[in-house]
Structure formats: C-alpha cells, structure tokens
Amino acid sequence: MDDLLNHSSNIQKAQTKMQTGVSAGLDDLSNLLRQAKESIQRDPSSMSSALKSLQTTARSRYYKDSKDSDSHNDTEKSKDKEFYKVQKKFHSAVNKFAKDIEKVRARMRRKNSLNKIGSFQRFTQDLSVISNPEAFAGKEYLLSRALAIHFIRQGQFDLCDTFMREAGIAEEDELRLTTELLKKEFQRMYTIMQELEEAHELTNAIQWAQTHHDELAKIGSNLEFDLHRLRFIQLLSQQKLMEAVQYSREYFGPFGDKHINEIKRMMTSTIYYRTLATSPYADLCSPTLWADICREFQKDFCSLLNMSAESPLHASVLVGTTALPVIMKLYKIISAKKTEWSQQDELPVELPLSDDLRFHSVFACPVSKEQATEDNPPMMMPCGHVICRESLTRLSRSSSSRYGRNSMRFKCPYCPSESAADQAVEVYF
C-alpha cells in the first residue's frame, strides 16, 4: 500500500506539471493568434499570408505527427517534445498506477481477501446498463448547489464563482448568499490549516479554539486541549523548558479533570527535554501530530458549521464507485435468470463499505429479517428485545388465534417473557 501512496503522489506531481505545460502551450498559441490578428488589422491584404504563416507555425509546434518536415527546425522539435512530454509522463504514471493496483489485487487474492478490495475492480463493461438517466431529472438546482458548495469546501473559491456564473445562478439567488458566507468561513479555515501544516504556527488555531470554547465543549471536542498540548511539546522540543512549564501552568488547569493522565505524562517528559525524540516519551514529538491536528481542526471547524468533515459530493462519488462492481455483478445475475428486483430504494445485497462511509444506523428485524422502514419501525418490548412492528403484530395475532380472542399477550421470540403489543415502544436510531 505504501507503493500505491507513493505512486499516487507521483501522479499528482505529473498532473501539476502537465497542467503547467499545457497552459504554457495554450498561452503560446493564444499569442500566435493575437499576433496574426494584429497583422491582419494593420494590413488586411496580408490576410492570406498571415493565416498561412499561422497554420505553418501551429502545425510545426503543436501537431503531434506533422508531415511537414521542412518546417521543423531544432527549436520547433524541442517545443513539440516539451508540449507532449508532460502529457506522456502523466499518462504513463496513471497506467503504472493501474498496473500496481492489479499487483496488489493479485497479492490479496492469494491471501483470500479479494472481497475487501471491491473498489480496485477495473471496469471494462458498459456501465450504462445500470445507470438511470432520469435520476436527476428536475434536480438541476440541487446539483448546482452540491457542486458550488463542494468547490467552496475544497478551497476552490474562484472556481465556485466561475461555475455559478456559467451555470446561470442569479445574483439574488439564495445560493449566492450561502456560498459567500461559507467562503469567508472556509477561507479562514484553510488559512489556519496552512499555518499549522506548513509553518507549524499554532497562535491563530488556539485563538479560534478559545473563541469557540463553549461550542466545542458541547460537541465533546478535545481540540483546544490538543492544541495547547502541541504547543507545550513544541516548546519542549525547542529545549525551552521554563517556557513550556510556564505555559502548562497557564493553560492546562481547566483541562485537569478530563485530561489529568495526559498532563501528568507531559510534565514527566520534561525530565528528558534535551533528548525527547529518543526518550520513552518520543511519541509526544511524532511528526504525525501536525497532520493529526490539521484533521481534527478541520473536523471540528466543519462540525460547528453543521457540516461533515468530508464533502458529501466526494462521499457520494466514493460510495458509488465502490458499489459499482457489486451492482454490475448483480445486474448480470438478474439478467441471466431473467428476473427483476421489485423493491424500491433498496438493494438485495450488502455493499462493501468501510465504517467511515456508514452514516446511518440500520435495523434489521431478527424475526422477519427485513430492514426497518418508516412504516415498519423497530419496536422494543418490555423485556428489552427489539423487533419490527409488522412482526410484533403477527405475533400478537398468532397468540389471539391460538389462545382465544381475548388473549393479547405473546411470548418474546428470544426470551421467556410475555408482553402485549400495546406495551411495546418505538425505537429511534
């Protein structure tokens, strides 16, 4: 997996170089067009020669397989190579990444773990057979909103403005106001995260956490303490022992009830402040602490905005691509058996999703084996066991038919207790 991460980083670097190279090539082509336009405006009679010159230059510089060899000098060849070289490197990196994934799949298949890597499946089938073109009919505005907010969450503020302008979002639209408010918040978030990640500067992050102390406490966040702890460790790593001790006295007090063991450990680590990195407390100065605090800050910042740390659009696309192999296999089985799946908003198989992609609790009735719905919610009996309402009703009716109309009590399917349908209470997840 480390190799895949390294190659993923190489793809990102190659993509950046490709974007830079292509942009430079397009700028050069734009200059050629501008020069030709100016030449024609100065002397309209030279239009034919100007266009011919433009065609020759463009062909020599940008046609990948130009047959006009006479117009190729060494400079033109070098430009041609440079223009296409960055694109070739990017595509080579992508192809190599795909091959590496196949190698990982082969190794994991030998370990009988192929079921855990459904997201690595290569798609060579026609995916249009399992798509629904009408799924987003009439929901264009919702799609525009999802895209605009996604761009804001990714810090691509200019792209968001361009998208809304080209999508025809009116200036007075509520989405404009929403994105402007979110833009200010996320600009601040990314500024602080950049300070944490690149400069290891904690001042603004600590100030933000102190300003939102009450809100962070309500959601059970440890961000403020973790920031103070990291500042203490930073001072200790710089061998500023007295400053670190003074800092702990000033800021650790309010966190003593909840984090007393961690505070004790940090104060004991001052014994090794000269060799902290090789001491029994080396984990306190782990380089991953800065990446961890960035993720924690982003998560809690978004939580106070009533938003998830990850973009919902990103999560939706990730879940969709993960589910594609399973859905494609299901389609083939159903097609081969010439049957149809009649249930709406439900799949007959479970999707291999990781825990971080499961956002809603799902209850399956232990009696009927069916998933609970709004019309068939989970009901808890006095004994504490939970079944769906329809199963509860069937048990009650079965008891009435067996022991008489007036007998409404029935035995729990999982314990000797008896209860009545009107004693059960609905359970909310």
Side-chain angles (χ1 to χ4, degrees):
M1 294 304 295
D2 291 338
D3 291 339
L4 293 181
L5 292 174
N6 292 334
H7 291 158
S8 176
S9 177
N10 292 336
I11 289 177
Q12 292 178 341
K13 293 177 182 178
Q15 183 183 22
T16 302
K17 290 182 179 179
M18 181 188 71
Q19 290 174 338
T20 303
V22 172
S23 296
L26 293 177
D27 289 341
D28 187 36
L29 181 59
S30 178
N31 290 332
L32 290 176
L33 293 172
R34 189 179 299 108
Q35 292 172 6
K37 179 180 177 182
E38 293 173 354
S39 176
I40 293 172
Q41 288 176 341
R42 287 194 303 268
D43 184 10
S45 62
S46 64
M47 178 182 294
S48 178
S49 60
L51 291 177
K52 185 176 181 181
S53 175
L54 174 64
Q55 182 182 21
T56 302
T57 305
R59 180 183 294 276
S60 64
R61 292 187 183 182
Y62 304 111
Y63 273 42
K64 190 171 183 180
D65 298 316
S66 176
K67 296 179 181 179
D68 190 6
S69 57
D70 294 337
S71 62
H72 277 82
N73 52 37
D74 293 338
T75 303
E76 304 294 347
K77 288 181 180 179
S78 64
K79 286 186 178 181
D80 179 273
K81 289 181 180 180
E82 185 62 29
F83 186 74
Y84 290 105
K85 188 191 302 181
V86 290
Q87 299 179 57
K88 290 179 180 178
K89 285 184 177 180
F90 172 70
H91 292 298
S92 297
V94 172
N95 292 333
K96 189 175 187 304
F97 187 64
K99 293 178 181 178
D100 291 335
I101 289 178
E102 290 300 321
K103 292 179 182 178
V104 172
R105 291 182 68 241
R107 287 199 298 267
M108 297 186 74
R109 186 186 293 114
R110 288 193 293 269
K111 296 178 182 179
N112 297 322
S113 300
L114 185 61
N115 60 321
K116 297 182 180 179
I117 55 170
S119 57
F120 291 165
Q121 181 69 39
R122 295 184 67 183
F123 304 117
T124 57
Q125 300 93 345
D126 180 14
L127 299 181
S128 63
V129 297
I130 58 173
S131 65
N132 181 10
E134 302 299 323
F136 295 102
K139 300 177 181 178
E140 289 78 7
Y141 181 80
L142 294 178
L143 287 174
S144 297
R145 181 183 179 86
L147 286 167
I149 293 179
H150 174 77
F151 293 144
I152 291 290
R153 294 177 62 105
Q154 299 301 311
Q156 299 174 334
F157 307 120
D158 294 337
L159 180 58
C160 176
D161 293 337
T162 302
F163 167 74
M164 287 196 295
R165 183 174 62 254
E166 295 186 359
I169 306 297
E171 292 291 337
E172 63 276 6
D173 195 286
E174 176 267 341
L175 181 56
R176 291 274 187 177
L177 177 61
T178 301
T179 53
E180 286 300 320
L181 293 174
L182 288 177
K183 188 185 298 184
K184 294 178 182 178
E185 295 291 342
F186 279 93
Q187 279 177 335
R188 186 178 184 188
M189 185 191 80
Y190 278 110
T191 299
I192 294 176
M193 288 181 62
Q194 186 176 9
E195 292 174 352
L196 290 172
E197 197 169 6
E198 297 180 3
H200 292 182
E201 175 57 52
L202 292 158
T203 304
N204 288 330
I206 292 174
Q207 183 180 2
W208 181 89
Q210 290 173 332
T211 303
H212 297 85
H213 173 83
D214 294 337
E215 296 97 315
L216 291 171
K218 288 180 181 178
I219 63 174
S221 170
N222 296 323
L223 176 63
E224 187 177 358
F225 172 74
D226 291 340
L227 288 168
H228 285 308
R229 178 180 61 180
L230 192 56
R231 177 56 180 160
F232 174 86
I233 295 170
Q234 189 179 43
L235 292 171
L236 210 59
S237 300
Q238 296 170 356
Q239 299 190 5
K240 298 178 180 179
L241 176 60
M242 296 311 299
E243 289 186 36
V245 172
Q246 181 61 32
Y247 189 88
S248 66
R249 290 175 178 173
E250 184 174 355
Y251 293 106
F252 284 172
F255 305 99
D257 293 340
K258 187 176 181 181
H259 301 281
I260 185 62
N261 291 331
E262 294 175 75
I263 293 174
K264 287 180 179 178
R265 191 166 185 268
M266 283 189 289
M267 299 312 298
T268 308
S269 69
T270 57
I271 301 173
Y272 301 92
Y273 79 98
R274 293 186 183 277
T275 57
L276 187 62
T278 57
S279 72
Y281 302 92
D283 59 290
L284 293 178
C285 56
S286 171
T288 61
L289 291 176
W290 291 99
D292 294 341
I293 202 67
C294 282
R295 285 193 294 269
E296 184 180 2
F297 178 82
Q298 182 180 17
K299 175 179 175 294
D300 290 345
F301 192 102
C302 292
S303 294
L304 295 191
L305 295 175
N306 294 321
M307 304 176 79
S308 60
E310 290 291 340
S311 167
L313 185 62
H314 173 267
S316 299
V317 173
L318 182 58
V319 169
T321 53
T322 303
L324 276 176
V326 177
I327 297 176
M328 197 69 196
K329 185 175 181 179
L330 174 64
Y331 167 79
K332 290 181 178 179
I333 294 174
I334 291 177
S335 298
K337 294 185 176 181
K338 298 181 179 180
T339 58
E340 293 183 358
W341 178 247
S342 58
Q343 295 287 342
Q344 292 185 348
D345 302 324
E346 185 178 335
L347 288 173
V349 292
E350 184 176 356
L351 298 179
L353 299 179
S354 57
D355 291 339
D356 58 338
L357 292 176
R358 296 180 182 273
F359 300 102
H360 302 285
S361 298
V362 175
F363 175 77
C365 178
V367 175
S368 65
K369 310 301 181 185
E370 295 177 351
Q371 182 176 317
T373 63
E374 292 183 3
D375 297 328
N376 185 28
M379 306 291 291
M380 185 173 66
M381 296 175 289
C383 59
H385 289 110
V386 181
I387 60 177
C388 281
R389 178 180 289 168
E390 291 181 0
S391 299
L392 185 71
T393 303
R394 283 196 294 268
L395 287 172
S396 179
R397 289 175 179 173
S398 175
S399 177
S400 299
S401 62
R402 181 177 301 178
Y403 301 108
R405 184 173 298 177
N406 296 326
S407 178
M408 300 298 294
R409 300 186 65 80
F410 56 89
K411 179 183 171 298
C412 171
Y414 292 93
C415 72
S417 302
E418 289 188 352
S419 60
D422 57 0
Q423 291 179 306
V425 293
E426 186 172 344
V427 178
Y428 297 90
F429 289 97

